[in-house]
Amino acid sequence: MSEAGTVKIISGVGAKGPACFLLQAQGKRLMLDLGYGPQPELWPNVDDVGRVDALVLSHSHKDHIGGLSLLPKIGNPPIFATEITAKKLPAGTTVHPLPLKGRGDVLGIPVDTGRNGHAPGGIWMRFHGGTGFLYTGDYSTESALYAFDPLPKSRTILFDCSYGEDETPLAERLKILAPHLAGDVLLPAPADGRGPDIALHLYRAGKTIRLDDATRAAMRDLTGSARESLRDGIASDLAALAEKALLPGELSGATFATPATCSDGSAAKLVKQWENASEPAIVFTGYIPPGTPADRLVKSGRAKFLRWSVHPRLSDHITMVGTTGAATVIPAFCDSKFLPALQVALKPANVTMDQVITLV
Ligand SMILES: [Zn+2]
């Protein structure tokens, strides 16, 4: 960036909350993500943001795109996203395409992108022009399903720190999960995230799989129009699973249903059917927003929460600092209580949760 740019945190640093950041560089004001939640009624406050030149979206999860109804407040800017992400936006949304992996352009600012290993169509993005600023969005290096492209050299990084300083590898989590997935089990999980990942894992282990319509459709997309988001060698197994999996509703095998909150859809229907029975087991594997049916089921003891990782570990943060050469890193999507430990672990990078960061 020819003159010093800035990154302003609107929401998403210091606490778990919707992603919304403002990058000001080369005379342009670019909003990075415009999320909602994940807790109910949690919106970013864009009242004082003013007119924005473009909105750039990292991936299609609600906490990154759920705030699109706020667009009139920031001047209805053009939206930039990958074509796979664009398909998941509300019907009629016009999107300027960014590559899944390669060089794109946002209003004259070159941007490099790569696959984020986290969601169909999901990308990290590195803005050019002298000073390299990288926004990772959500990412994971551990998915067996979604491809992850290594993060590029960058001076300043706003990075996914959803798990704070946690270092448990996915392989360890699988060992913890295994006994809970051995019998008949209901797994409410996002169709555009870990749902297909977990289903493929269990399918390869020989388990009977049942899929709701949304999860099956997401898998078919992944073997078709969203295929570029997959790791190599995955598509044929996933296609077989999408065709062979049974319908939900009967007590056998592992049933995948959406949404993960169980607030509506097939997950709500199946919870109603099974909540007062002792079987199947109900296992939640991701963040549970307070006040949702999922939260109620875990608190009552009917369901268990056992995490399946979809975000980076501490060792990924350390690798990130080493390979990118970043001087300043901003942890996003975690509580500020992790800041002191991250400052020690990520030396020599300067770790900050300041609300405005100058790109030098
Ligand atoms: Zn996400």
Side-chain angles (χ1 to χ4, degrees):
M1 291 147 200
S2 53
E3 54 202 74
T6 60
V7 175
K8 189 173 175 197
I9 310 303
I10 297 165
S11 165
V13 169
K16 182 105 184 139
C20 187
F21 312 99
L22 188 68
L23 171 65
Q24 306 197 68
Q26 298 195 339
K28 297 287 193 302
R29 308 180 83 232
L30 310 184
M31 183 170 277
L32 311 180
D33 284 340
L34 182 52
Y36 164 82
Q39 302 92 324
E41 295 309 311
L42 194 56
W43 297 89
N45 182 357
V46 298
D47 290 348
D48 300 325
V49 170
R51 181 169 283 273
V52 164
D53 296 305
L55 170 63
V56 191
L57 299 174
S58 64
H59 69 295
S60 64
H61 290 164
K62 201 184 270 185
D63 51 337
H64 293 256
I65 63 152
L68 296 188
S69 61
L70 301 173
L71 282 171
K73 289 191 173 192
I74 54 170
N76 285 313
I79 299 172
F80 291 74
T82 65
E83 285 174 348
I84 300 168
T85 296
K87 284 190 186 147
K88 298 173 191 301
L89 299 179
T93 308
T94 304
V95 171
H96 301 261
L98 288 175
L100 264 181
K101 182 184 180 185
R103 173 71 58 90
D105 177 285
V106 178
L107 305 179
I109 301 177
V111 56
D112 287 339
T113 59
R115 295 166 295 179
N116 68 1
H118 172 86
I123 51 170
W124 48 253
M125 54 187 86
R126 181 194 180 277
F127 295 87
H128 273 261
T131 301
F133 168 71
L134 169 68
Y135 171 46
T136 70
D138 288 349
Y139 84 96
S140 173
T141 63
E142 296 186 285
S143 171
L145 188 70
Y146 301 109
F148 171 72
D149 295 312
L151 301 172
K153 290 275 177 207
S154 308
R155 277 298 277 175
T156 306
I157 306 180
L158 176 58
F159 73 101
D160 178 7
C161 196
S162 296
Y163 296 158
E165 55 177 323
D166 190 275
E167 182 43 35
T168 315
L170 182 57
E172 189 64 33
R173 296 201 177 280
L174 291 179
K175 278 188 207 158
I176 298 166
L177 268 161
H180 299 278
L181 304 181
D184 299 332
V185 59
L186 171 62
L187 287 144
D192 285 329
R194 63 187 180 275
D197 220 341
I198 303 172
L200 183 65
H201 170 75
L202 293 177
Y203 173 70
R204 284 174 158 176
K207 198 166 182 81
T208 298
I209 305 294
R210 295 176 177 276
L211 302 176
D212 76 352
D213 291 347
T215 309
R216 195 185 305 265
M219 278 187 193
R220 285 185 174 144
D221 279 353
L222 276 167
T223 60
S225 59
R227 196 180 182 119
E228 270 186 87
S229 284
L230 286 182
R231 284 195 189 272
D232 291 340
I234 293 291
S236 58
D237 274 6
L238 200 62
L241 168 57
E243 298 320 309
K244 286 182 191 161
L246 304 174
L247 295 169
E250 285 181 42
L251 252 188
S252 80
T255 299
F256 289 82
T258 57
T261 56
C262 302
S263 309
D264 51 20
S266 68
K269 204 171 136 199
L270 292 168
V271 161
K272 197 173 169 199
Q273 185 179 334
W274 288 329
E275 180 168 8
N276 296 316
S278 57
E279 289 190 309
I282 304 176
V283 177
F284 293 95
T285 49
Y287 177 75
I288 298 176
T292 57
D295 186 38
R296 184 191 76 231
L297 288 162
V298 172
K299 283 186 176 150
S300 73
R302 176 64 183 87
K304 283 224 155 27
F305 166 68
L306 294 157
R307 182 183 282 165
W308 174 284
S309 311
V310 294
H311 297 284
R313 300 156 289 173
L314 178 63
S315 55
D316 293 314
H317 308 330
I318 294 168
T319 301
M320 172 190 78
V321 168
T323 58
T324 62
T328 301
V329 295
I330 309 150
F333 320 131
C334 68
D335 197 275
S336 55
K337 72 181 180 192
F338 294 112
L339 184 58
L342 291 166
Q343 284 172 328
V344 172
L346 301 185
K347 277 180 184 167
N350 167 40
V351 186
T352 176
M353 288 187 175
D354 288 354
Q355 296 302 295
V356 181
I357 295 99
T358 302
L359 301 174
V360 290

